């Protein structure tokens, strides 16, 4: 199993290019099952989660070709069963349910297992499919969907912890091939959901309402050419590099990004005392010497993203003063706290709230990555730490960050990847 060694104490300076969004690309790739026609998707990041999704699509019968960031998929003939062995590695594999149901009116997909960031139920996805007319059965670990026909409906998808991102996408994908109009109330409005709904798909999304056009497919063959969907920049990768700049940077610029999607993260960084300068597609962060602790609460978009919570905990752990971080989206998502404490952080965890008493310096230690964002937080915490931090189970980080070690080394960090 690969591990990463971070030699702490180097300062970062320079530009780093942000890749396509993982959480946007995954449902867009699943949505190619909606049509028999060829789909071309650009700026697809090279990540293990993307690889799993392409493997699943291949097993469902799609022809998949990939050349650098461009993926071409033709799902002319498909099967509707995805067994445990192919879906178990990634929770986002549930988003093949919507397109299979929409196109074939039938799907049998194994229910993915638990996950360290919380329980992660899919009851809201199933509620949405039922509202469109599907019969839902859970048997032997599989979700079985069937319908004679799907009919547009008014559906409220808001759950106890707010809207559901993949649930909204899943129901949208089934609804595009339903008869009539579907309105999703309490829909997630994350940029990744809007990306999935863009006009190329024959959908129009406004505020928290979705209007699906009858049976229209997207990515049609168009004047002999194919429409190409380009995935939006990854706002969480962007935020992670901004925090790297905040923690260890003299001046770091993230390029090919979409600052509009980063509002809450930029506001938090400004409140913490960092100078930011923006262009239409870049953000530069420079320290100004007067850092302040923060009170943060994760919320659905446009609020502060849960996917940036761990990285901010790492930053606040080394900033003077007491910060309070409250997690409302995945209340148990604090696996990074125990590992940060191994590096000398002082953090009290009380239910879904972390109180962080900043210390001057963390020290390198052997630590364990528990999930994607937690592992990014450990890399960030290690950048200014004394000595060497050894991060184990780095396959978690490769699920969602393209060559994070190489990109940080390009800014001046000293990170080694030790192959098992
Ligand atoms: N929830 C339910 N019932 C459902 C679905 C969700 O109660 O049927 C609850 C969840 O347990 C959670 C809240 O609703 O408390 C929000 O979950 P959501 O469904 O929005 O999460 P998701 O769609 O499964 C996506 C991202 C996550 C990100 C969340 C929240 C992808 C592939 N995953 O997950 O990203 O944290 O939205 O923004 O898009 C990551 O990239 O590291 C990651 C975990």
């Amino acid at each position: 199993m690969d591990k990463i060694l971070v030699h702490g104490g180097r300062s970062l300076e320079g530009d780093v290019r942000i890749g396509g969004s993982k959480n946007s690309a995954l449902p867009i790739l699943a949505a190619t099952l909606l049509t028999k026609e060829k789909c071309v998707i650009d700026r697809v990041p090279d990540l293990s989660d993307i690889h799993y999704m392409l493997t699943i699509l291949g097993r469902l019968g799609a022809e998949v070709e990939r050349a650098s960031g461009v993926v071409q998929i033709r799902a002319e003939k498909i099967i509707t069963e995805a067994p445990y062995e192919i879906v178990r590695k990634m929770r986002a594999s549930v988003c093949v349910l919507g397109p299979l149901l929409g196109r074939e009116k039938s799907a049998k997909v194994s229910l993915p297992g638990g996950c360290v960031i919380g329980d992660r139920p899919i009851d809201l996805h199933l509620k949405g499919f039922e509202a469109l007319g599907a019969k839902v059965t859970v048997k032997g670990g599989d979700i079985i969907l069937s319908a004679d026909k799907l009919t547009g409906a008014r559906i409220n998808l808001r759950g106890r912890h707010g809207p559901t991102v993949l649930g909204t996408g899943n129901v949208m994908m089934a609804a595009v091939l339903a008869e009539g109009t579907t309105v999703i109330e309490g829909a997630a409005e994350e940029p990744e959901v809007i990306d999935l709904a863009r006009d190329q798909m024959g959908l129009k999304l406004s505020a928290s309402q979705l209007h699906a056009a009858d049976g229209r497919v997207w990515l049609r063959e168009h004047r002999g050419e194919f429409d190409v969907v380009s995935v939006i920049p990854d706002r969480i990768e962007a935020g992670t590099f901004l925090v790297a700049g905040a923690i260890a940077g003299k001046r770091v610029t993230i390029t090919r990004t979409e600052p509009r999607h980063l509002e809450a993260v930029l506001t938090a960084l400004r409140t913490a005392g960092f100078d930011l300068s923006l262009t239409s597609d870049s953000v530069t962060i420079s320290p100004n010497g007067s850092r302040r602790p923060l009170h943060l609460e994760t919320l659905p978009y446009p609020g502060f993203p849960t996917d940036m919570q761990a990285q901010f905990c790492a930053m606040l752990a080394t900033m003077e003063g007491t910060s309070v971080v409250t997690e409302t989206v995945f209340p148990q998502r604090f696996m990074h706290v125990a590992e940060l404490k191994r590096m000398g952080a002082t953090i009290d965890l009380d239910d879904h709230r972390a109180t962080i008493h900043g210390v001057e310096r963390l020290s390198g230690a052997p630590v364990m990555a528990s999930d994607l964002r937690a592992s990014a937080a450990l890399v960030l915490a290690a950048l200014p730490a004394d000595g060497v931090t050894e991060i184990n189970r780095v396959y978690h980080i490769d699920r969602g960050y393209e060559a994070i070690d190489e990109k940080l080394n390009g800014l001046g960090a000293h990170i080694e990847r030790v192959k098992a």
Side-chain angles (χ1 to χ4, degrees):
M1 229 179 269
D2 287 9
K3 56 183 162 188
I4 279 180
L5 301 179
V6 182
H7 301 262
R10 302 283 190 100
S11 37
L12 308 185
E13 193 165 12
D15 294 2
V16 60
R17 210 167 142 141
I18 299 307
S21 159
K22 164 181 86 77
N23 289 350
S24 179
L26 287 170
I28 287 179
L29 292 172
T32 63
L33 293 171
L34 284 167
T35 173
K36 292 182 176 176
E37 290 167 28
K38 182 170 172 176
C39 304
V40 184
I41 302 142
D42 190 11
R43 210 174 172 189
V44 178
D46 186 9
L47 301 169
S48 55
D49 271 10
I50 298 291
H51 175 76
Y52 295 141
M53 180 55 86
L54 295 178
T55 305
I56 293 168
L57 297 179
R59 290 285 296 270
L60 291 172
E63 290 163 37
V64 178
E65 278 172 53
R66 178 174 194 159
S68 73
V70 181
V71 173
Q72 303 196 22
I73 301 176
R74 187 192 292 273
E76 205 170 351
K77 289 198 188 104
I78 54 170
I79 56 166
T80 56
E81 287 193 25
Y84 187 57
E85 93 228 41
I86 66 165
V87 302
R88 75 187 159 86
K89 287 192 175 160
M90 184 180 66
R91 285 202 47 89
S93 47
V94 292
C95 57
V96 300
L97 276 168
L100 290 178
L101 176 66
R103 176 161 157 190
E104 300 293 333
K105 311 290 172 275
S106 149
K108 183 174 173 191
V109 175
S110 185
L111 192 60
C115 155
V116 292
I117 70 172
D119 181 22
R120 305 195 75 181
I122 60 159
D123 55 307
L124 298 168
H125 304 227
L126 302 182
K127 174 184 166 187
F129 298 144
E130 269 174 343
L132 294 172
K135 180 166 176 281
V136 177
T137 318
V138 180
K139 196 172 164 197
D142 294 325
I143 302 154
I144 304 161
L145 306 178
S146 61
D148 294 332
K149 71 170 195 170
L150 297 176
T151 312
R154 181 173 282 269
I155 307 166
N156 192 321
L157 284 188
R158 176 172 284 276
R160 197 157 58 95
H161 297 293
T164 164
V165 172
L166 289 178
T168 303
N170 231 342
V171 176
M172 272 162 52
M173 290 189 278
V176 271
L177 296 181
E179 255 175 48
T181 299
T182 296
V183 177
I184 302 178
E185 289 164 345
E189 293 176 66
E190 269 64 5
E192 295 76 19
V193 178
I194 308 294
D195 200 28
L196 179 66
R198 276 181 305 175
D199 283 349
Q200 292 96 320
M201 303 169 60
L203 298 173
K204 291 210 187 320
L205 186 75
S206 67
S208 58
Q209 290 205 319
L210 167 75
H211 300 280
D214 291 357
R216 279 168 68 190
V217 292
W218 58 296
L219 291 167
R220 301 166 304 279
E221 252 177 283
H222 182 61
R223 287 190 298 279
E225 294 175 349
F226 298 105
D227 292 345
V228 177
V229 161
S230 193
V231 172
I232 55 172
D234 195 309
R235 65 192 167 102
I236 306 303
E237 186 194 19
T240 302
F241 277 96
L242 286 176
V243 174
I247 283 186
K250 288 186 187 150
R251 186 183 169 87
V252 169
T253 301
I254 55 165
T255 63
R256 285 200 76 191
T257 190
E258 178 51 86
R260 274 184 311 133
H261 296 163
L262 288 163
E263 286 287 334
V265 169
L266 300 182
T267 302
L269 288 169
R270 281 198 194 96
T271 311
F274 295 96
D275 279 341
L276 301 173
S277 60
L278 275 58
T279 69
S280 60
D281 65 354
S282 77
V283 182
T284 300
I285 181 158
S286 331
N288 73 0
S290 63
R291 297 171 170 205
R292 289 182 293 274
L294 289 180
H295 280 227
L296 278 182
E297 183 176 53
T298 65
L299 286 169
Y301 190 83
F304 185 86
T306 172
D307 290 344
M308 284 302 302
Q309 182 257 107
Q311 300 89 316
F312 266 69
C313 284
M315 178 183 91
L316 297 170
T318 56
M319 276 170 52
E320 214 179 296
T322 298
S323 297
V324 178
V325 176
T326 307
E327 174 61 63
T328 75
V329 180
F330 291 109
Q332 299 160 44
R333 193 178 199 175
F334 279 114
M335 298 295 283
H336 43 285
V337 166
E339 303 301 308
L340 290 172
K341 282 177 158 179
R342 289 179 52 71
M343 299 176 69
T346 310
I347 305 177
D348 301 321
L349 199 53
D350 177 16
D351 193 18
H352 62 303
R353 182 162 295 132
T355 305
I356 304 170
H357 308 281
V359 295
E360 202 177 317
R361 253 186 198 296
L362 299 179
S363 54
V367 288
M368 198 71 85
S370 57
D371 72 83
L372 171 57
R373 308 304 170 189
S375 36
L378 296 176
V379 173
L380 295 177
L383 290 171
D386 281 332
V388 180
T389 302
E390 179 184 309
I391 304 171
N392 291 285
R393 297 198 187 159
V394 294
Y395 56 86
H396 285 295
I397 211 162
D398 295 331
R399 290 186 38 222
Y401 289 94
E402 239 173 347
I404 192 171
D405 42 346
E406 288 168 29
K407 285 185 172 181
L408 284 167
N409 285 344
L411 293 172
H414 181 189
I415 302 179
E416 291 174 84
R417 185 179 280 256
V418 181
K419 293 266 172 210

